[in-house]
Amino acid sequence: MAVEPWQTAEIPGPKKALVITKPEVVVAMMKRAQRPVLIVGHKAVEIELGNKKVVDYMIELAEKAKIPIVATAHMINEFLKRNYKPAGFMPAVDIGNRLTDPEWNGLDGKGPYDMALFVGLPYYMEWTILSGLKHFAQNLKTITLDNVYHPNASWSFPNISIKDWIENLKVIIEKIEGGA
Amino acid sequence: MSRKNVHLKVDEFKGNIGLIKNLEISIGKIIEEKWEEPMGPTPFPSLTTLRDWDFKLLQRFKPFYLPFCDVCCLCTFGKCDLTGNKRGACGLNMSAQQSRIVLLACCIGAATHIGHARHLVEHLIEEFGRRHPVDVGGVNVEVEAPVTRLVCGIKPETLGDLEAALDYCENQLTHLLSITHTGQEGSNLDFESKVFHAGMIDQVGMEIADLAQISAYGFPKANPEAPLVELGFGAIDIQKPVILCIGHNVPPAIGIVDYLTENGLQGEVEVCGLCCTAHDITRYNPKAKIVGPISWQLRFVRSGVPDVVIVDEQCIRTDILIEAQKVKAPFIATSEKNCQGLEDRTHDSPDKIVEDLVTGKVPGVLILDPEKAGEVAVRVAIEVMPRRGKFKVIPNVENVIEEAKRCRQCDKCRRACPNDLPIPEAMKAAVEGNLEKLNELYDACIGCARCEHACPENIPVHNFIVKAAEKKMKAETFKVRAGRGPIQDVEIRNVGGPIVLGEIPGVVAFVGCANYPKGGKEIAEMVMEFAKRRFIVVTSGCAAMSAGMYKNEEGKTPYEIYSGDFDAGGILNVGSCVSNPHIAGAAIKIASIFAKRKLRANYEEIADYVLNRVGAVGVAWGAMSQKAASIASGFWRLGVPVIVGPHGIKYRRMLLGRADKQEDWYVYDARTGEKVYVGPTPEHLFYAAETKEEAMVMIAKLCMRPNDTTKGRAIKLTHYIDLHKRLYGIMPEDIHLFVRTIADVPVTMKDEIIKILEKKDWKETVIPDPTLLPRLIRKKKE
Ligand code: SF4
Ligand code: SF4
Ligand code: SF4
């Protein structure tokens, strides 16, 4: 399968994300991570997945996997409206920047994260932040949960339909039960 | 052209940083010394003169690189794979390569303004003479060139004097560009220091361009009541011949206006513009009209309204000749920098050129004489209008529906669209006769036409959007205040105190291009919000136009609702891109006029003052160009933080502070020499916000400065907290970093905040007389 970036001209490489062919891969990697963090951008409240939004799936995922969420932009408000208090909130560039600092001990001060999952940033913003991390945070694994291929992540889904996206997220949430 | 050599000689100068002996500077031409203020420490700074200052900034605001490309291909050793900070064949690593690209962008930006300034000054000297005085506000503006005075240490009084500063800029620019050659600078921080240098000389170049045109053409001179001019697609009278001017360098547009006046044709022909040339024609003649920001180019030309398209330089679509041909509009190029492959007809008779254009013998011409271009444009517009009958390429509704049937839902348009607009969905709806979804795309469409080029079916997507939104587009009729130019000295005297003490919560400048993520409406919303909160809101360039594209219930636009004064709750348009130094100039004048700091060639001290005391923030929400990059970097070096919209992340480097690192936020108390923690004020120097909401919260936050009085800090905190609660739905979690003493806490929120402070283990500190420069400490610690 030819995997292309979602924005046609955003040609990456030589190093490109490995393609997630089935959602179980994400589950396995999350389980393997010691200190994962999930970064949720503002598009998570704009994109509808059936009768829910991306953000609703993320809350479910975070609760099941017991993984901290960092809300970027004004997403904190959307989480609070859903009675969920993320572990932290800060601008996308700030969390990106902190993740490149090997001495940053995370939101809880307990040590550096070893995995960052991203979802819902504008494509080009996520693209560039993941690029910053690819080059300057080499101990960090990055995974994107978007339905578009993000070549600068360590792992990414290819460009998939909304329907497949929903299915994938459901599988991940179901199989992560018991904590990452 | 002959230019004498400048010679600036100072036998002995004792300044704060030591004794300078026999300082001699030879650049350009002799300036007679009429300025009483003694020469400061850094006249005509070289590449490294301000390096220490730059490193102080970079120590706090560290670069975060976001490579937009993993390789380097700048020399034949390449391509080199720099992934993971690997080094290329020349030894350069990824961080240095990114900063090198930033430097390259800033050199391009600065060269564009400096070249523009040079052309303009040469032209105006030819027309008005070298001795034509630089006058941008008479007695109201005695500090007429704050940036040039600060950087160069000269006080230009005539058009001829401006050349000396330009000589310096060109000289520095050549050196700066050379640094991007393979095998020069290897340290990313040194590249960054040079980025700042490029930005600083860019500010000089822009200032000179605007001083020259204000002085020679009689643009509004620091006038808060500059006329309100018409703005918007719907403001253009299509019953008349319409001349559209696009670009930044105004002489050809002036040629048009002058020809109309001299021939009694005012009112017969509609003169309008896009981008900065539009600002500058309205500064010359308030009857001229502004169509809109740069992103209106295609929609306006394709609508067939302009009868002649005349372009000068910068940010013009490079396929605009092709677009003009599609609507049978004759085309005139007027700049050596943008010849479009056209025949140079500068020395032909106007009659012959007019005939060739009107009969369609040639689609366009190059005329490098602004007066002649003006005459030809007017005569062609009048003659060609009946022939072309406003020929347009925007299809009718039936065509849209019919052609949309060819859409195969391949997503290629959407994947080419910078704003990821859901075009395929809109096409599907169009096939069913519903154009509403296409109409909805209009607001966030930046008019780039990438969708059309991507479409395998050659569907003219942008035209469809324009058709669907036709009604809304034709109803675009707004007002914008013509660019007022500088800020008056007396305005500075009045607000200097309240700004430095923090009682005016901040100066927010909305500047730059129109590469907006969700349309220009967001600019108007932000502008209104901060004017309502009684910040001083300044605008320029395309952002100044977007700021005007809003109406309240009474049909009033922001420029009509708020005054044009440099005062709390004012919204002032300073003008075009090259007017931006008036914003920097205002900050500089606060230090010099209000605080009486020495201005002349005293860059470091003034920048230190601005960083620590002047709560100013630049917002370039749609920053697109290399010019925007260099404009921003000129603000960084001066200590003014800049926020860009999400697309600005593609400048591939942020300058971010770390609020969580306490050690980064100490200043000296100039009174005692003690080091004092002042919190992250301001937290970032260059920063891309994801959404408008995030930008608004950050604007309020970045206005805080170490020098704020308790009253001022309480006011600033009130705005920050209020916006944070409204847009984020929660109290900020970093309040404790901004409270120095309990008196800083806004009274209305006292209980709530004190509880937070207790939880965060907050400790009281003192409010210092802040500086980063040890030499400014008055009493040295033993
Ligand atoms: S300039 Fe350096 S990094 Fe770039 S292609 Fe040449 S050798 Fe490689
Ligand atoms: S013209 Fe508009 S819709 Fe088309 S790609 Fe550009 S922004 Fe998107
Ligand atoms: S690129 Fe053309 S054919 Fe493909 S979805 Fe877009 S409009 Fe339809």
Side-chain angles (χ1 to χ4, degrees), chain B residues 72-75 77-80 82 88-90 92 97 100 182:
Chain B
C72 173
C73 55
L74 278 176
C75 83
F77 279 143
K79 296 182 176 179
C80 294
L82 305 177
C90 63
L92 202 69
Q97 169 64 6
R100 180 188 186 198
T182 300

Side-chain angles (χ1 to χ4, degrees), chain B residues 346 650 773:
Chain B
T346 310
K650 297 176 214 164
L773 305 174

Side-chain angles (χ1 to χ4, degrees), chain B residues 416-719:
Chain B
C417 176
N419 282 336
D420 198 14
L421 297 179
I423 301 162
E425 265 172 50
M427 287 293 169
K428 206 186 257 170
V431 174
E432 277 143 33
N434 171 9
L435 300 197
E436 188 40 39
K437 290 209 158 163
L438 278 169
N439 172 32
E440 281 168 19
L441 303 180
Y442 177 81
D443 294 324
C445 168
I446 56 155
C448 68
R450 266 180 12 193
C451 46
E452 297 184 353
H453 292 284
C455 177
E457 291 292 336
N458 286 320
I459 296 175
V461 180
H462 185 57
N463 289 353
F464 285 17
I465 296 173
V466 170
K467 180 66 199 174
E470 197 172 33
K471 232 173 152 182
K472 174 157 84 175
M473 188 171 76
K474 290 191 172 155
E476 287 166 1
T477 52
F478 307 96
K479 289 266 165 50
V480 57
R481 206 173 280 288
R484 59 167 277 172
I487 312 305
Q488 297 179 6
D489 297 357
V490 56
E491 288 176 292
I492 298 290
R493 275 187 205 102
N494 292 341
V495 298
I499 290 175
V500 170
L501 302 175
E503 288 152 15
I504 288 179
V507 180
V508 192
F510 291 89
V511 304
C513 339
N515 189 13
Y516 305 128
K518 292 182 179 172
K521 203 174 74 227
E522 293 191 329
I523 291 271
E525 287 166 8
M526 288 192 268
V527 159
M528 293 287 287
E529 178 73 39
F530 285 95
K532 201 165 66 199
R533 291 178 177 275
R534 304 198 50 78
F535 286 61
I536 300 176
V537 178
V538 186
T539 64
S540 72
C542 284
M545 302 175 190
S546 301
M549 296 179 124
Y550 162 91
K551 279 181 187 162
N552 69 4
E553 309 78 53
E554 292 155 38
K556 290 227 161 92
T557 62
Y559 292 100
E560 295 169 282
I561 304 170
Y562 294 96
S563 91
D565 296 327
F566 191 76
D567 200 350
I571 301 182
L572 24 344
N573 171 20
V574 288
S576 52
C577 282
V578 293
S579 308
N580 278 309
H582 303 312
I583 305 171
I588 295 167
K589 293 210 288 189
I590 289 172
S592 94
I593 297 176
F594 163 74
K596 308 231 164 17
R597 296 288 177 115
K598 291 213 166 57
L599 171 62
R600 187 174 192 180
N602 194 21
Y603 194 92
E604 197 182 49
E605 182 178 340
I606 297 284
D608 178 65
Y609 184 94
V610 172
L611 175 71
N612 284 305
R613 294 164 205 264
V614 180
V617 182
V619 183
W621 195 238
M624 164 280 290
S625 64
Q626 297 88 1
K627 293 193 299 158
S630 62
I631 293 171
S633 66
F635 281 104
W636 304 329
R637 192 180 235 183
L638 193 61
V640 178
V642 177
I643 300 174
V644 283
H647 284 293
I649 202 165
K650 297 176 214 164
Y651 284 119
R652 50 196 98 187
R653 189 272 274 115
M654 305 277 109
L655 295 169
L656 302 176
R658 283 284 297 271
D660 56 327
K661 292 198 167 179
Q662 189 172 344
E663 64 276 18
D664 287 354
W665 305 103
Y666 282 82
V667 301
Y668 295 106
D669 185 342
R671 285 180 296 250
T672 61
E674 297 283 353
K675 282 194 148 190
V676 181
Y677 175 74
V678 287
T681 49
E683 184 171 341
H684 301 306
L685 203 53
F686 186 51
Y687 153 87
E690 185 185 335
T691 62
K692 168 194 76 184
E693 290 82 358
E694 183 185 320
M696 281 161 64
V697 170
M698 190 57 89
I699 290 169
K701 178 150 107 170
L702 291 183
C703 283
M704 287 187 256
R705 289 294 179 282
N707 189 64
D708 297 338
T709 57
T710 53
K711 183 171 162 211
R713 181 58 64 87
I715 292 171
K716 292 185 183 188
L717 272 174
T718 308
H719 291 291

Side-chain angles (χ1 to χ4, degrees), chain B residues 313-486:
Chain B
E313 58 172 290
Q314 305 164 39
C315 304
I316 302 156
R317 280 194 72 95
T318 49
D319 58 356
I320 198 72
L321 170 59
I322 300 166
E323 292 293 335
Q325 274 174 276
K326 285 188 197 158
V327 295
K328 303 179 182 168
F331 181 90
I332 305 171
T334 61
S335 167
E336 284 183 324
K337 288 169 189 157
N338 178 15
C339 301
Q340 294 285 340
L342 295 165
E343 193 185 341
D344 183 357
R345 304 286 297 269
T346 310
H347 302 293
D348 281 7
S349 81
D351 293 352
K352 188 75 192 89
I353 311 175
V354 171
E355 188 193 322
D356 286 356
L357 285 172
V358 171
T359 56
K361 193 165 164 227
V362 293
V365 293
L366 174 67
I367 307 177
L368 297 172
D369 170 344
E371 284 77 33
K372 191 177 279 183
E375 173 182 348
V376 170
V378 172
R379 290 175 53 191
V380 170
I382 294 172
E383 286 186 42
V384 87
M385 175 176 161
R387 291 186 181 228
R388 50 180 298 281
K390 301 282 177 193
F391 185 81
K392 62 176 181 203
V393 290
I394 305 296
N396 60 31
V397 172
E398 292 70 45
N399 286 139
V400 172
I401 296 169
E402 197 46 42
E403 280 199 72
K405 290 182 184 153
R406 281 191 287 132
C407 172
R408 35 170 133 138
Q409 294 291 308
C410 69
D411 264 346
K412 290 213 161 99
C413 47
R414 179 166 182 177
R415 291 179 53 202
C417 176
N419 282 336
D420 198 14
L421 297 179
I423 301 162
E425 265 172 50
M427 287 293 169
K428 206 186 257 170
V431 174
E432 277 143 33
N434 171 9
L435 300 197
E436 188 40 39
K437 290 209 158 163
L438 278 169
N439 172 32
E440 281 168 19
L441 303 180
Y442 177 81
D443 294 324
C445 168
I446 56 155
C448 68
R450 266 180 12 193
C451 46
E452 297 184 353
H453 292 284
C455 177
E457 291 292 336
N458 286 320
I459 296 175
V461 180
H462 185 57
N463 289 353
F464 285 17
I465 296 173
V466 170
K467 180 66 199 174
E470 197 172 33
K471 232 173 152 182
K472 174 157 84 175
M473 188 171 76
K474 290 191 172 155
E476 287 166 1
T477 52
F478 307 96
K479 289 266 165 50
V480 57
R481 206 173 280 288
R484 59 167 277 172

